[in-house]
Amino acid sequence: MLIFLLPIVAGIVSILAVLCIFEIVGYSWITGFIIAITFGFISFICLRFAIDKIVDDQNVFTFIFLAILRIGMYMVPFLISIYLSNHINPIGVVIGFLIIVIFPVIIKE
């Protein structure tokens, strides 16, 4: 999975870096993107862990807890971008979370 996602993430970071160098966008877009990607990977790892736990233990309550935890992982970057809007741009966070939409496509391949 990382083999497919790493070039996409590196490409988007390089595009945002070039736009930042030419002062079209601020550095806050890059930080928002990186924070969203980081929390996206953490939530994906949480999803894989939840699937393994439900198969091994068949405990529904653990799966529900981990599903609620994943929802929280998606909300944290948005809350951070609201409170620290000078340093983290919400649009960068949205761009980072759009990469998460690619996860199911890559997993199917």
Side-chain angles (χ1 to χ4, degrees), residues 32-80:
F33 177 76
I34 291 173
I35 286 177
I37 288 293
T38 304
F39 277 96
F41 281 133
I42 291 171
S43 66
F44 181 72
I45 290 170
C46 183
L47 174 67
R48 299 299 288 185
F49 180 73
I51 291 170
D52 292 340
K53 283 305 246 184
I54 195 76
V55 168
D56 291 341
D57 300 339
Q58 295 182 358
N59 188 356
V60 177
F61 297 112
T62 305
F63 184 76
I64 292 171
F65 170 73
L66 291 173
I68 293 171
L69 183 67
R70 278 189 57 226
I71 293 170
M73 289 290 177
Y74 291 133
M75 292 187 67
V76 167
F78 285 115
L79 293 175
I80 291 173

Coordinates of all heavy atoms in Angstrom, one line a residue, residues 32-80:
G32 N -1.1 21.4 7.2 CA -2.5 20.8 7.3 C -2.5 19.5 6.5 O -3.1 18.5 7.0
F33 N -1.9 19.5 5.4 CA -1.8 18.2 4.6 C -1.1 17.1 5.3 O -1.5 16.0 5.4 CB -1.2 18.5 3.2 CG -1.0 17.3 2.4 CD1 -2.1 16.8 1.7 CD2 0.2 16.7 2.2 CE1 -2.0 15.7 0.9 CE2 0.3 15.6 1.4 CZ -0.7 15.1 0.8
I34 N 0.1 17.5 5.9 CA 0.9 16.5 6.6 C 0.1 16.0 7.8 O 0.2 14.8 8.1 CB 2.3 17.0 6.9 CG1 3.0 17.2 5.6 CG2 3.0 16.1 7.9 CD1 4.3 17.9 5.8
I35 N -0.5 16.8 8.6 CA -1.3 16.4 9.8 C -2.4 15.5 9.4 O -2.7 14.5 10.0 CB -1.7 17.6 10.6 CG1 -0.6 18.2 11.3 CG2 -2.8 17.2 11.6 CD1 -0.9 19.4 12.1
A36 N -3.1 15.8 8.3 CA -4.3 15.0 7.8 C -3.8 13.6 7.4 O -4.4 12.6 7.7 CB -5.0 15.7 6.7
I37 N -2.7 13.6 6.6 CA -2.1 12.3 6.2 C -1.7 11.5 7.4 O -1.9 10.2 7.4 CB -0.9 12.5 5.2 CG1 -1.5 13.1 3.9 CG2 -0.1 11.3 5.0 CD1 -2.3 12.1 3.1
T38 N -1.1 12.1 8.4 CA -0.6 11.4 9.5 C -1.8 10.7 10.3 O -1.8 9.6 10.6 CB 0.2 12.3 10.5 OG1 1.3 12.9 9.8 CG2 0.7 11.6 11.7
F39 N -2.8 11.5 10.5 CA -4.0 11.0 11.2 C -4.7 10.0 10.4 O -5.4 9.1 10.9 CB -4.9 12.1 11.7 CG -4.5 12.7 13.0 CD1 -3.7 13.9 13.0 CD2 -4.8 12.2 14.2 CE1 -3.3 14.4 14.2 CE2 -4.4 12.7 15.4 CZ -3.6 13.9 15.4
G40 N -4.7 10.2 9.1 CA -5.3 9.2 8.1 C -4.6 7.8 8.2 O -5.3 6.8 8.3
F41 N -3.3 7.9 8.3 CA -2.6 6.6 8.4 C -2.8 5.9 9.8 O -3.0 4.7 9.8 CB -1.1 6.8 8.2 CG -0.6 6.9 6.8 CD1 0.2 7.9 6.4 CD2 -1.1 6.0 5.8 CE1 0.6 8.0 5.0 CE2 -0.7 6.1 4.5 CZ 0.2 7.1 4.1
I42 N -2.9 6.8 10.8 CA -3.2 6.2 12.1 C -4.6 5.6 12.2 O -4.8 4.5 12.7 CB -3.0 7.3 13.2 CG1 -1.6 7.7 13.4 CG2 -3.6 6.8 14.5 CD1 -1.3 8.9 14.2
S43 N -5.6 6.3 11.6 CA -6.9 5.7 11.5 C -7.0 4.4 10.7 O -7.7 3.5 11.0 CB -7.9 6.7 11.0 OG -7.7 7.1 9.7
F44 N -6.2 4.4 9.6 CA -6.1 3.2 8.8 C -5.5 2.0 9.6 O -6.0 0.9 9.5 CB -5.3 3.4 7.5 CG -5.3 2.2 6.6 CD1 -6.4 1.8 5.9 CD2 -4.1 1.5 6.5 CE1 -6.4 0.7 5.1 CE2 -4.1 0.4 5.6 CZ -5.2 0.0 4.9
I45 N -4.5 2.3 10.3 CA -3.9 1.3 11.2 C -4.9 0.8 12.3 O -5.0 -0.4 12.6 CB -2.6 1.8 11.8 CG1 -1.5 1.9 10.8 CG2 -2.1 0.9 12.9 CD1 -0.3 2.7 11.2
C46 N -5.6 1.8 12.8 CA -6.7 1.4 13.8 C -7.7 0.5 13.1 O -8.2 -0.4 13.8 CB -7.3 2.7 14.3 SG -8.5 2.4 15.6
L47 N -8.1 0.8 11.9 CA -9.1 0.0 11.2 C -8.5 -1.5 11.0 O -9.3 -2.4 11.2 CB -9.4 0.6 9.8 CG -10.3 -0.3 8.9 CD1 -11.7 -0.4 9.5 CD2 -10.3 0.3 7.5
R48 N -7.3 -1.6 10.6 CA -6.7 -2.9 10.4 C -6.6 -3.7 11.7 O -6.9 -4.9 11.8 CB -5.3 -2.8 9.8 CG -5.3 -2.2 8.4 CD -6.0 -3.0 7.4 NE -5.4 -4.2 7.1 CZ -5.7 -5.1 6.2 NH1 -6.8 -4.8 5.5 NH2 -5.1 -6.2 6.0
F49 N -6.3 -3.0 12.8 CA -6.3 -3.6 14.1 C -7.7 -4.0 14.6 O -7.9 -5.1 15.1 CB -5.7 -2.6 15.1 CG -5.6 -3.1 16.5 CD1 -4.7 -4.0 16.9 CD2 -6.5 -2.6 17.5 CE1 -4.6 -4.5 18.2 CE2 -6.5 -3.1 18.8 CZ -5.5 -4.1 19.1
A50 N -8.7 -3.2 14.3 CA -10.1 -3.5 14.6 C -10.5 -4.8 13.9 O -11.2 -5.6 14.4 CB -11.0 -2.4 14.3
I51 N -10.2 -4.9 12.6 CA -10.5 -6.1 11.8 C -9.9 -7.3 12.4 O -10.5 -8.4 12.5 CB -10.2 -5.9 10.3 CG1 -11.1 -4.8 9.7 CG2 -10.3 -7.2 9.6 CD1 -10.7 -4.4 8.4
D52 N -8.6 -7.2 12.7 CA -7.9 -8.4 13.3 C -8.5 -8.7 14.7 O -8.7 -9.9 15.0 CB -6.4 -8.1 13.5 CG -5.7 -7.9 12.2 OD1 -6.2 -8.5 11.2 OD2 -4.6 -7.3 12.2
K53 N -8.9 -7.8 15.5 CA -9.5 -8.0 16.8 C -10.9 -8.7 16.7 O -11.2 -9.6 17.4 CB -9.6 -6.8 17.7 CG -8.3 -6.3 18.2 CD -7.7 -7.4 19.0 CE -7.6 -7.1 20.5 NZ -7.0 -8.1 21.3
I54 N -11.7 -8.2 15.7 CA -13.0 -8.8 15.6 C -12.9 -10.2 15.1 O -13.7 -11.1 15.4 CB -13.9 -7.9 14.7 CG1 -15.4 -8.3 14.8 CG2 -13.6 -8.0 13.2 CD1 -16.0 -7.8 16.0
V55 N -11.9 -10.5 14.2 CA -11.8 -11.9 13.7 C -11.3 -12.8 14.9 O -11.7 -13.9 15.0 CB -10.8 -11.9 12.5 CG1 -10.4 -13.3 12.2 CG2 -11.4 -11.2 11.3
D56 N -10.3 -12.3 15.7 CA -9.8 -13.1 16.7 C -10.7 -13.3 17.9 O -11.0 -14.4 18.4 CB -8.4 -12.5 17.2 CG -7.3 -12.6 16.2 OD1 -7.5 -13.4 15.3 OD2 -6.3 -11.9 16.3
D57 N -11.2 -12.2 18.5 CA -12.0 -12.3 19.7 C -13.5 -12.3 19.5 O -14.2 -12.8 20.4 CB -11.7 -11.1 20.6 CG -10.2 -11.0 20.9 OD1 -9.5 -12.0 20.9 OD2 -9.8 -9.8 21.3
Q58 N -13.9 -11.8 18.4 CA -15.4 -11.7 18.1 C -16.1 -10.9 19.2 O -17.2 -11.2 19.6 CB -16.0 -13.1 17.9 CG -15.5 -13.8 16.7 CD -16.2 -15.1 16.4 OE1 -17.0 -15.5 17.2 NE2 -15.8 -15.7 15.3
N59 N -15.4 -9.9 19.7 CA -16.0 -9.0 20.7 C -16.5 -7.7 19.9 O -15.7 -6.9 19.5 CB -14.9 -8.6 21.7 CG -15.5 -7.9 22.9 OD1 -16.7 -7.5 22.9 ND2 -14.7 -7.6 23.9
V60 N -17.7 -7.6 19.9 CA -18.3 -6.5 19.1 C -18.0 -5.1 19.8 O -17.8 -4.1 19.1 CB -19.9 -6.7 19.0 CG1 -20.5 -5.5 18.3 CG2 -20.2 -8.0 18.3
F61 N -18.0 -5.1 21.1 CA -17.8 -3.9 21.9 C -16.4 -3.3 21.6 O -16.2 -2.1 21.5 CB -18.0 -4.1 23.4 CG -19.4 -4.5 23.7 CD1 -19.6 -5.8 24.2 CD2 -20.4 -3.6 23.5 CE1 -20.9 -6.1 24.5 CE2 -21.7 -4.0 23.8 CZ -22.0 -5.3 24.3
T62 N -15.4 -4.1 21.4 CA -14.1 -3.6 21.1 C -14.1 -3.0 19.7 O -13.5 -2.0 19.4 CB -13.0 -4.8 21.1 OG1 -13.1 -5.4 22.4 CG2 -11.6 -4.3 20.8
F63 N -14.8 -3.6 18.7 CA -14.9 -3.1 17.4 C -15.6 -1.8 17.4 O -15.2 -0.8 16.7 CB -15.6 -4.1 16.5 CG -15.7 -3.7 15.1 CD1 -14.6 -3.8 14.2 CD2 -16.9 -3.1 14.6 CE1 -14.7 -3.4 12.9 CE2 -17.0 -2.7 13.2 CZ -15.8 -2.9 12.4
I64 N -16.7 -1.6 18.2 CA -17.4 -0.4 18.3 C -16.5 0.7 18.9 O -16.5 1.9 18.4 CB -18.7 -0.5 19.1 CG1 -19.7 -1.4 18.3 CG2 -19.4 0.8 19.4 CD1 -20.9 -1.8 19.1
F65 N -15.8 0.4 19.9 CA -14.9 1.3 20.5 C -13.8 1.8 19.5 O -13.5 3.0 19.4 CB -14.2 0.7 21.7 CG -13.0 1.5 22.3 CD1 -13.3 2.7 22.9 CD2 -11.7 1.2 22.0 CE1 -12.3 3.5 23.4 CE2 -10.7 2.0 22.5 CZ -11.0 3.1 23.2
L66 N -13.2 0.9 18.8 CA -12.2 1.3 17.8 C -12.9 2.1 16.6 O -12.2 2.9 16.0 CB -11.5 0.1 17.3 CG -10.6 -0.6 18.3 CD1 -10.0 -1.9 17.8 CD2 -9.5 0.3 18.7
A67 N -14.1 1.8 16.3 CA -14.8 2.6 15.2 C -15.0 4.0 15.7 O -14.8 5.0 15.0 CB -16.1 2.0 14.9
I68 N -15.4 4.2 17.0 CA -15.6 5.6 17.5 C -14.2 6.3 17.6 O -14.1 7.5 17.4 CB -16.3 5.5 18.9 CG1 -17.7 5.0 18.7 CG2 -16.2 6.8 19.6 CD1 -18.4 4.7 20.0
L69 N -13.2 5.5 18.0 CA -11.8 6.1 18.0 C -11.4 6.6 16.6 O -10.8 7.6 16.5 CB -10.9 5.0 18.5 CG -9.4 5.5 18.7 CD1 -9.3 6.5 19.8 CD2 -8.5 4.3 19.0
R70 N -11.8 5.8 15.6 CA -11.4 6.3 14.2 C -12.2 7.6 13.8 O -11.6 8.4 13.2 CB -11.8 5.2 13.2 CG -10.8 4.1 13.1 CD -11.0 3.2 12.0 NE -11.1 3.9 10.7 CZ -12.1 3.7 9.8 NH1 -13.0 2.8 10.0 NH2 -12.1 4.3 8.7
I71 N -13.4 7.7 14.2 CA -14.1 8.9 14.0 C -13.4 10.1 14.7 O -13.3 11.2 14.1 CB -15.6 8.8 14.4 CG1 -16.3 7.8 13.5 CG2 -16.3 10.1 14.4 CD1 -17.7 7.4 14.0
G72 N -13.0 9.9 15.9 CA -12.2 10.9 16.6 C -10.9 11.2 15.9 O -10.5 12.4 15.9
M73 N -10.3 10.2 15.3 CA -9.0 10.5 14.6 C -9.3 11.4 13.4 O -8.4 12.1 13.0 CB -8.4 9.2 14.1 CG -7.8 8.4 15.2 SD -6.3 9.1 15.8 CE -5.9 8.0 17.1
Y74 N -10.4 11.3 12.8 CA -10.7 12.1 11.6 C -11.1 13.5 12.1 O -10.9 14.5 11.3 CB -11.9 11.5 10.8 CG -11.6 10.3 10.1 CD1 -12.4 9.2 10.1 CD2 -10.4 10.2 9.3 CE1 -12.1 8.0 9.4 CE2 -10.1 9.0 8.6 CZ -10.9 7.9 8.7 OH -10.6 6.8 8.0
M75 N -11.6 13.7 13.3 CA -12.0 15.0 13.7 C -10.9 15.8 14.3 O -11.0 17.1 14.3 CB -13.2 14.8 14.7 CG -14.4 14.3 14.2 SD -15.8 14.3 15.3 CE -16.0 16.1 15.5
V76 N -9.9 15.2 14.8 CA -8.8 15.9 15.5 C -8.1 16.9 14.6 O -7.9 18.0 15.0 CB -7.8 14.9 16.1 CG1 -6.5 15.6 16.5 CG2 -8.4 14.2 17.3
P77 N -7.7 16.5 13.3 CA -7.1 17.5 12.5 C -8.0 18.7 12.2 O -7.5 19.9 12.1 CB -6.7 16.8 11.2 CG -6.7 15.4 11.6 CD -7.6 15.2 12.7
F78 N -9.3 18.5 12.0 CA -10.2 19.6 11.8 C -10.3 20.5 13.0 O -10.3 21.8 12.8 CB -11.6 19.1 11.4 CG -11.6 18.6 10.0 CD1 -11.9 17.2 9.8 CD2 -11.4 19.4 8.9 CE1 -11.9 16.7 8.5 CE2 -11.5 18.9 7.6 CZ -11.7 17.6 7.4
L79 N -10.3 20.0 14.2 CA -10.3 20.8 15.4 C -9.0 21.6 15.5 O -9.1 22.7 15.9 CB -10.6 19.9 16.6 CG -12.0 19.3 16.6 CD1 -12.2 18.4 17.8 CD2 -13.1 20.4 16.7
I80 N -7.9 20.9 15.3 CA -6.6 21.6 15.4 C -6.6 22.7 14.4 O -6.1 23.8 14.7 CB -5.5 20.6 15.1 CG1 -5.4 19.6 16.3 CG2 -4.1 21.3 15.0 CD1 -4.4 18.5 16.1

